[in-house]
Amino acid sequence: MTDDAEAVLRLAADLVAIDSRSSVSNIPLAERIEAELAGFDVTRVDYADANGVAKRALVAHRGPRGGLALSGHMDTVPETGWIDPWSPRVADGMLHGLGSVDMKGPVAACIVAARGLPDSMPATLLITTDEETSKQGARAVAACDAARALGLRGIIVAEPTGLLPVRGHRSHIEYTAVASGVQAHSSTGQGANANWVLIPFLAEMKAVFERLRHDPAFHDAGYDPPFSDFNLIVDNHGTAVNVTVAKATARIKFRRSRNVDYAPIEAAVRDAAARTGVTLTEKREGTPPELPADHPLVALAVRETGQPARTAPYGTDASELQDLAPCIVMGPGSIATAHTPHECVAVADLVAAVPLFRRMLAATPAG
């Protein structure tokens, strides 16, 4: 193995071994990363998440201002289905473990690539957290004075794309609809089941779902699939089957494209909530990021990879980081095993990312 190959595998395995699910503090992981950044000016971006859990993002820079930044997130999804999520292992050339591809392996590749550049070149790392939940870490970084002062010309968000350039993706609105009832033993007839309030709203949401799937007015041919995701989760908060439901919650993740007018869809959701008596709240990511095909950052990525740029139906921190600089999504590994108990990344992909990231950074001048 080359020095870079050994370094990226060692660091990726070390990062996987540290629990950084979005529900827990990522500060131990942030401290481990900071230990790899000797010679960088590191700004710690500390905050508490919505549950009061201490979180930390990092802005690290060395050299002149300007150039490109490499970005990745520290948090992972929950360990559902895993037996040994924080025991990294290599088998058949694949690094296995929770977060190995999404995205501790790519973060390791970013770090090794950036610190291998000469001091005379700008090298910036934007390491976020809470990407899997609220994007709060990316928003904190985008608002950070230290990051804004760098004069960045672009950001490579190193989510796993097989090192293929992704010039745009969807971002989402998360709707939460809550219906209220009265809890009682269901046999007494004294309760009121919140589900009977929620169901009429859900029936209208099914119509919205079908409209998004089948009405060409809401399709974007530049994406695969062309229709927007409108995914529903329903929660009765652990109520037993012999108890009337006091609270019924529906959550909907609506992924939308930049080039489609979804105002009628948003109005339909709000109107249905008002009509059926549920309480509706929403959380929005930033505007869907999408660079034109002839943007200089896209052209650079196409030239360095030899692959055409494309779009993706999922979302990344680019939704928020685009407030700092234009973003392209490009990183090692495949998204296919992410969010599963079989998550893994090819070591060869992590190794290949290092010189590619360096070429991208070296090709973008300071200033």
Side-chain angles (χ1 to χ4, degrees), residues 8-252:
V8 75
L9 178 56
R10 174 188 57 81
L11 180 55
D14 284 357
L15 301 185
V16 168
I18 300 173
D19 178 8
S20 62
R21 291 166 296 161
S22 302
S23 59
V24 304
S25 176
N26 74 308
I27 289 179
L29 182 58
E31 290 175 340
R32 176 66 186 86
I33 288 173
E34 190 173 347
E36 295 288 323
L37 299 176
F40 283 74
D41 292 324
V42 179
T43 299
R44 300 169 182 170
V45 184
D46 290 336
Y47 65 92
D49 69 15
N51 295 315
V53 178
K55 298 293 179 69
R56 175 173 293 167
L58 299 172
V59 176
H61 179 78
R62 189 182 67 191
R65 295 171 67 256
L68 300 181
L70 297 171
S71 182
H73 64 84
M74 291 178 268
D75 61 314
T76 74
V77 294
E79 77 283 16
T80 306
W82 280 91
I83 297 173
D84 52 354
W86 303 293
S87 298
R89 62 184 179 88
V90 176
D92 299 322
M94 307 293 290
L95 173 64
H96 297 259
L98 177 60
S100 55
V101 75
D102 189 13
M103 60 179 300
K104 293 178 176 181
V107 165
C110 290
I111 292 168
V112 172
R115 72 185 184 193
L117 286 173
D119 291 351
S120 59
M121 292 183 179
T124 301
L125 294 161
L126 307 175
I127 311 298
T128 72
T129 193
D130 285 332
E131 190 274 346
E132 299 291 1
T133 52
S134 65
K135 305 289 191 295
Q136 190 173 354
R139 283 197 299 278
V141 165
C144 171
D145 289 341
R148 290 189 168 275
L150 292 175
L152 294 172
R153 299 193 175 194
I155 300 169
I156 301 169
V157 179
E159 289 276 4
T161 68
L163 292 176
L164 303 175
V166 171
R167 64 180 181 85
H169 63 65
R170 292 177 170 135
S171 66
H172 76 261
I173 303 172
E174 183 178 317
Y175 292 110
T176 300
V178 177
S180 298
V182 177
Q183 183 173 325
H185 195 293
S186 61
S187 68
T188 66
Q190 300 301 308
N193 193 315
N195 283 331
W196 300 126
V197 180
L198 185 63
I199 287 171
F201 173 77
L202 296 182
E204 295 201 38
M205 294 305 94
K206 178 60 161 59
V208 171
F209 171 84
E210 296 293 344
R211 191 175 177 188
L212 286 168
R213 282 292 173 102
H214 302 297
D215 187 341
F218 300 112
H219 290 183
D220 187 338
Y223 283 78
D224 182 17
F227 52 80
S228 289
D229 183 28
F230 197 76
N231 193 53
L232 169 69
I233 302 294
V234 179
D235 188 0
N236 280 171
H237 306 279
T239 306
V241 73
N242 60 349
V243 176
T244 54
V245 176
K247 181 179 181 182
T249 301
R251 296 170 58 206
I252 297 171

Side-chain angles (χ1 to χ4, degrees), residues 273-349:
R275 190 162 42 247
T276 59
V278 303
T279 300
L280 184 72
T281 58
E282 63 180 60
K283 292 190 296 185
R284 292 173 175 260
E285 287 187 335
T287 303
E290 187 172 320
L291 297 179
D294 61 353
H295 189 279
L297 181 56
V298 176
L300 173 62
V302 169
R303 183 169 70 250
E304 293 296 339
T305 62
Q307 297 291 329
R310 59 210 69 202
T311 59
Y314 50 73
T316 76
D317 275 338
S319 297
E320 311 299 337
L321 294 177
Q322 65 181 334
D323 287 348
L324 270 179
C327 294
I328 194 162
V329 182
M330 185 175 69
S334 168
I335 201 72
T337 64
H339 299 194
T340 77
H342 313 292
E343 185 173 354
C344 58
V345 61
V347 176
D349 289 353

